Amino acid sequence: MSKPIVSSFNEWDPLEEVIIGTLDKVTVPFLSHEMKVFIRKEYWDFYKKYGGQPYPKEFVEKGVKALNNLEKVLEAEGVKVRRPEPVRFDPDKRVTTPHYESTGFFNADVRDILLIVGDTIIEAPMAQRCRAFEYLGYQDLILEYFKSGAKWLCAPKGSKSSELYDYEYPEEDMALFRGEPISDTNVSVFNGRFITTEHEICFDAADFVRCGRDIFAQRSHVTNQLGIDWVRSILEPTYKVHNIKFRDPSPVHIDATWLPIGEGKVLSCPDRVCISEDMLALFKNSGWEIFYPPPGEAKAEFHMSSRWLSMNILMLDPERVVVEKDELATIKFFKKIGIKPILVDFKDHYMFGGGIHCATADVRRRGELKSYFNN
Ligand code: DAV
């Protein structure tokens, strides 16, 4: 039997096929309540002013170039690259649902919405209203993979009614940006309070990382416990889905916080270390080594993310990693641990919130389903 086209079990087996997102029709999201933990406070005025309109052209042109640079670099390394079809709806057109009105955002960060586990593509419901219809941009591509034998699952989309969001979430905690050093641990998320409630299932795919039979998921502003429980319910018993926590005042997506780079090797953001004793014990008892990369240093705009996009990298295989070309400290770090950096000029994509890992979804990695943990 020939190998399925969609087959990817971890973050590091040799990469054969990948999807890279698109900035086609990218629209400035509205500064709605749930976006206030996502967009840095110093940019709120920009989002209040331009929400629902296209981004200034020069930003988009540079961002498009960054995605195209990544495509060229991956192709040169022998990886088959797929791009989503041109977006056939207008994200700047206001959509009225039974529960809210919103415009859209983009289709650039594929990792946020598509969770690929083995031969199954799971469409995440997304937590932010501006991303509710993002799945439409991937339908042709997923249909093609489905016809080739992949399984296609949609998580419950939910209503995104106002009950899904905590409107009393303290504004001072919204300003505590993820990944920045904090002294005070008495902030909402440490007490189990997030911008999303448990009113209905919600998650972004980027709050999950895959290590064969073990998958690690964080409760974040965009992924609630019901979302993690839903993923667990469909992947069990073949896979184990573990909850993992970090010292992060504003968690959104796990892939610039805790990113496996090979069998027994995980990158851990030193500004938001793991605080789950059981998970630390699991990694330790299974012989895993935790690596702390240096901070990001590329000169770029960061509207919706921390500078830790530097560690949001893509493994081509356990020996080669795709890194932003100006992340010099990160490049040096990888060389030191024996992994060859493949450089790409990508920093102009950072302002849209994502790094190299975010902008991609690995469709096929050569390798089998294995267990890397003693549990
Ligand atoms: O560090 O701000 C970035 C991941 C976005 N997909 C951060 C998280």
Side-chain angles (χ1 to χ4, degrees):
M1 233 176 75
S2 66
K3 194 166 157 67
I5 289 186
V6 176
S7 176
S8 172
F9 295 104
N10 61 36
E11 308 288 336
W12 63 82
D13 272 344
L15 185 64
E16 294 183 340
E17 181 164 337
V18 77
I19 305 170
I20 299 179
T22 174
L23 281 169
D24 190 35
K25 297 192 183 164
V26 58
T27 298
V28 180
F30 270 114
L31 189 71
S32 50
H33 182 68
E34 77 281 11
M35 294 301 279
K36 289 184 180 169
V37 291
F38 189 60
I39 296 169
R40 278 178 187 270
K41 206 160 184 182
E42 61 263 39
Y43 289 105
W44 282 11
D45 286 343
F46 174 90
Y47 287 82
K48 274 183 196 151
K49 187 164 170 203
Y50 294 105
Q53 298 173 41
Y55 272 92
K57 224 174 152 180
E58 64 275 17
F59 287 136
V60 181
E61 281 169 1
K62 280 162 48 176
V64 166
K65 215 164 151 224
L67 291 170
N68 293 344
N69 291 342
L70 182 60
E71 176 170 358
K72 278 187 215 122
V73 166
L74 290 177
E75 281 180 348
E77 295 298 323
V79 179
K80 178 169 177 180
V81 176
R82 301 297 312 270
R83 305 292 298 266
E85 60 267 26
V87 176
R88 290 200 304 270
F89 59 99
D90 294 319
D92 60 348
K93 211 166 97 191
R94 195 178 275 260
V95 169
T96 304
T97 80
H99 293 279
Y100 64 93
E101 282 186 10
S102 182
T103 48
F105 179 25
F106 73 172
N107 281 86
D109 288 350
V110 196
R111 188 81 56 176
D112 296 356
I113 182 162
L114 301 185
L115 178 60
I116 300 182
V117 180
D119 64 354
T120 303
I121 303 176
I122 301 171
E123 263 180 42
M126 311 306 284
Q128 296 157 340
R129 288 172 169 173
C130 65
R131 304 190 73 174
F133 294 96
E134 204 167 297
Y135 71 97
L136 293 172
Y138 299 101
Q139 298 302 285
D140 290 357
L141 200 49
I142 306 176
L143 185 61
E144 196 187 312
Y145 286 130
F146 173 74
K147 288 178 182 167
S148 83
K151 296 197 175 74
W152 182 0
L153 278 178
C154 270
K157 300 256 184 243
S159 67
K160 299 188 193 358
S161 67
S162 55
E163 291 98 326
L164 179 58
Y165 309 106
D166 179 354
Y167 284 90
E168 310 288 311
Y169 194 86
E171 190 154 309
E172 66 269 23
D173 284 359
M174 291 176 175
L176 288 171
F177 215 75
R178 48 192 184 276
E180 277 167 14
I182 41 157
S183 53
D184 186 6
T185 51
N186 191 27
V187 294
S188 295
V189 290
F190 296 126
N191 300 313
R193 187 171 180 179
F194 299 83
I195 205 83
T196 47
T197 66
E198 296 290 338
H199 177 69
E200 61 189 19
I201 289 168
C202 88
F203 67 93
D204 279 13
D207 272 314
F208 295 78
V209 282
R210 305 151 311 147
C211 297
R213 289 197 185 268
D214 294 270
I215 292 176
F216 298 88
Q218 75 164 347
R219 174 43 164 127
S220 76
H221 284 313
V222 292
T223 295
N224 63 13
Q225 190 55 44
L226 284 171
I228 297 173
D229 292 345
W230 181 82
V231 173
R232 180 177 292 130
S233 74
I234 57 133
L235 293 180
E236 270 181 354
T238 308
Y239 300 88
K240 253 195 182 164
V241 178
H242 306 269
N243 269 81
I244 187 165
K245 266 193 202 154
F246 304 92
R247 191 174 178 280
D248 185 345
S250 190
V252 174
H253 303 159
I254 196 171
D255 57 350
T257 297
W258 188 260
L259 192 56
I261 54 170
E263 183 166 351
K265 293 179 190 174
V266 62
L267 288 187
S268 172
C269 176
D271 281 343
R272 37 192 176 200
V273 293
C274 178
I275 52 172
S276 303
E277 292 301 331
D278 56 339
M279 289 298 107
L280 285 168
L282 177 66
F283 278 79
K284 188 164 174 259
N285 297 338
S286 307
W288 280 63
E289 192 176 347
I290 300 176
F291 292 89
Y292 298 96
E297 53 186 5
K299 285 197 177 56
E301 287 204 39
F302 295 88
H303 289 202
M304 312 176 181
S305 74
S306 72
R307 293 194 148 269
W308 287 105
L309 293 183
S310 54
M311 64 171 277
N312 185 263
I313 49 78
L314 182 70
M315 298 307 292
L316 290 180
D317 58 42
E319 277 85 45
R320 290 176 307 152
V321 59
V322 184
V323 190
E324 211 298 323
K325 79 167 185 39
D326 287 356
E327 300 292 9
L328 301 181
T330 309
I331 293 166
K332 205 166 144 194
F333 157 84
F334 276 116
K335 284 186 185 158
K336 209 169 137 202
I337 63 169
I339 296 176
K340 183 183 175 191
I342 307 290
L343 307 188
V344 58
D345 185 352
F346 194 72
K347 60 191 169 299
D348 289 332
H349 185 62
Y350 282 2
M351 72 161 277
F352 299 103
I356 298 166
H357 193 260
C358 301
T360 52
D362 21 290
V363 171
R364 190 170 64 263
R365 288 183 182 270
R366 199 166 62 241
E368 306 297 319
L369 176 59
K370 282 193 200 161
S371 184
Y372 303 98
F373 293 88
N374 308 321
N375 62 15

